Amino acid sequence: AGGASAVADAATYTATLTVTNNQGATATDQATVTVTGGGGGGAQPFTYRNVFTPQTASSGQTVTLDITLDASAQPSQNVGAVQAITTFNPSVLQYVSSTAPAPTQMNNLTVSTGTPGQISWLNFTTSATPPTGLVSAARFTFTVIGNGSSITGTSIAAIADAAGSVTLDTLFRVVEDTFATGAGGGNQ
């Protein structure tokens, strides 16, 4: 018998194995397993990060959501294109606009907002020197319209190198962010 479990982070875990034979008898054993970081074997060395600024604001104020791709774990790895769906709570935030934030490493941002609470977007570079390291992928601007909170949700459709020959999306772990209404300074 064999099996495998995937874990998100390097840490020490307790693994429990229960075996049942064909007569219904069972036996259980535990082992402590230490998982360390490193490349390969399904490791996700890169980070796709959503960040709301500010984290709290009142109704009528403006907030931004910056999306960055951090590929600095492999300094020579370029990022040529990213396509994703970003979700938010449409009863709290109203989508206003989008930009490719400075530095404009990726400057071909295309956005579809036909479904409330969902931004389907694509950005890519045509530069002879595609971006590496920390890449600013998109900035979305919202107006606060209701009370409550909004947690980003991300579905990565594709992330690829500039040549389109290397698919990178499985190498990115996603870090979501939460916005909440309340007393706070919005971006005016």
Side-chain angles (χ1 to χ4, degrees):
S5 292
V7 293
D9 298 312
T12 299
Y13 297 91
T14 300
T16 302
L17 173 66
T18 301
V19 177
T20 305
N21 69 12
N22 59 2
Q23 295 177 343
T26 62
T28 301
D29 200 0
Q30 290 186 331
T32 301
V33 179
T34 301
V35 177
T36 58
Q44 295 173 302
F46 305 140
T47 305
Y48 176 115
R49 185 176 308 276
N50 295 304
V51 177
F52 278 112
T53 304
Q55 299 267 246
T56 60
S58 301
S59 185
Q61 292 186 307
T62 301
V63 297
T64 58
L65 175 64
D66 284 310
I67 300 174
T68 57
L69 308 176
D70 186 353
S72 59
Q74 294 179 8
S76 64
Q77 180 60 64
N78 70 65
V79 178
V82 58
Q83 182 176 8
I85 295 173
T86 302
T87 59
F88 60 94
N89 184 343
S91 65
V92 175
L93 297 173
Q94 180 179 27
Y95 171 81
V96 175
S97 64
S98 61
T99 59
T104 53
Q105 299 163 309
M106 301 180 82
N107 54 3
N108 294 285
L109 182 62
T110 304
V111 173
S112 172
T113 58
T115 302
Q118 179 175 300
I119 303 169
S120 179
W121 63 278
L122 163 71
N123 200 355
F124 62 94
T125 183
T126 55
S127 171
T129 308
T132 59
L134 188 60
V135 179
S136 297
R139 174 175 289 153
F140 302 120
T141 302
F142 301 91
T143 299
V144 180
I145 60 169
N147 292 319
S149 63
S150 182
I151 300 171
T152 59
T154 300
S155 175
I156 298 173
I159 300 175
D161 71 345
S165 60
V166 178
T167 302
L168 304 170
D169 41 282
T170 59
L171 299 177
F172 279 85
R173 69 181 179 90
V174 176
V175 178
E176 304 291 4
D177 200 13
T178 302
F179 166 82
T181 57
N187 297 326
Q188 298 294 328

